[in-house]
Amino acid sequence: LAKRLPFVKIGDETALAERAAEVDRRMRLFMHERPAALTRAVFFCFCVRILQVAETGLLLYPLMPRDELVLIAILMQTASQLIVWIAAFVPAKIGVLEGGNAGLFELAGLDPASAFTVVLAKRLRMVLGIAIGLTLGSRFVGDRTSYKPSPEDP
């Protein structure tokens, strides 16, 4: 199926199948050897999805009736995630999220222009999260791995 796509070039199909089989083997091994780690990973993925829906609901709260808010937030976040997966090849998804969410807002009966504000708020949250992570990482990890010249260095 992938070979039918014009931009996909598969040279050695057997090597690709062998690598896929190796990935499957490693995943089965991980699931059997570390079931608690797998359970934690699935739990944290679920928590992230719930927080994403809550973020979408919080951003939609002033824009729509309260009785439909939870359902629309779930549907908007799910459709938005599908847009992200479909547009994975677009660098930084510039314009894709804005356009996709504008269409979703219009389908939900909301002003499509407010979709830009919602996406901008999500992007700002992402940038702030990255900045906080880099700051904490450089502060705690950077101290342990920073270069310390030895007395023999000129």
Side-chain angles (χ1 to χ4, degrees), residues 125-143:
R125 186 249 327 137
M126 188 170 49
V127 168
L128 287 173
I130 291 170
I132 291 169
L134 286 173
T135 302
L136 292 174
S138 66
R139 180 151 194 183
F140 295 112
V141 176
D143 291 343

Side-chain angles (χ1 to χ4, degrees), residues 78-93:
T78 303
S80 182
Q81 187 63 51
L82 289 173
I83 292 168
V84 167
W85 288 338
I86 290 169
F89 60 91
V90 177
K93 292 162 197 58

